[in-house]
Amino acid sequence: VKHFDDLWSELHERVANEDPLSRTVALVKAGPHEVGKKLVEEAAESWMAAEFESKERTAEELSQVIYHVQVMMLAVGITPEQVWEYL
């Protein structure tokens, strides 16, 4: 089981090391517009899964929202601590 902080550390390391095979690195380099499109897509898929599919499918889609939220954070240089200030 991976937690938010574990995922953050993993993605942050990939971006810091500029792993050329990483989808995360490619998205971060593409910038907030491209990341935002994926984030909106995954949010919509989460909603549809919650409305019409199983809890498992909803959880899978929500995991993609969390992933893309973190990618957006990396793309714009925001840390989890900066986000926590608003929770």
Side-chain angles (χ1 to χ4, degrees):
V1 174
K2 193 178 293 187
H3 297 277
F4 191 93
D5 290 338
D6 301 327
L7 179 62
W8 176 257
S9 294
E10 181 181 316
L11 298 181
H12 189 267
E13 184 176 322
R14 284 183 197 168
V15 172
N17 293 332
E18 296 187 11
D19 179 352
L21 302 177
S22 170
R23 175 174 171 258
T24 301
V25 171
L27 273 171
V28 168
K29 286 183 176 186
H33 184 81
E34 291 302 315
V35 178
K37 290 193 303 186
K38 287 299 295 177
L39 184 54
V40 168
E41 174 189 331
E42 296 302 341
E45 289 174 0
S46 296
W47 172 25
M48 292 297 103
E51 288 276 348
F52 303 110
E53 298 181 50
S54 67
K55 288 182 180 181
E56 292 79 15
R57 185 77 179 110
T58 303
E60 180 183 355
E61 291 299 339
L62 288 169
S63 75
Q64 291 299 308
V65 171
I66 292 169
Y67 166 79
H68 285 94
V69 163
Q70 289 197 5
V71 173
M72 180 66 83
M73 291 166 63
L74 288 162
V76 298
I78 294 174
T79 66
E81 292 74 24
Q82 289 172 295
V83 173
W84 304 154
E85 289 179 29
Y86 296 95
L87 292 179

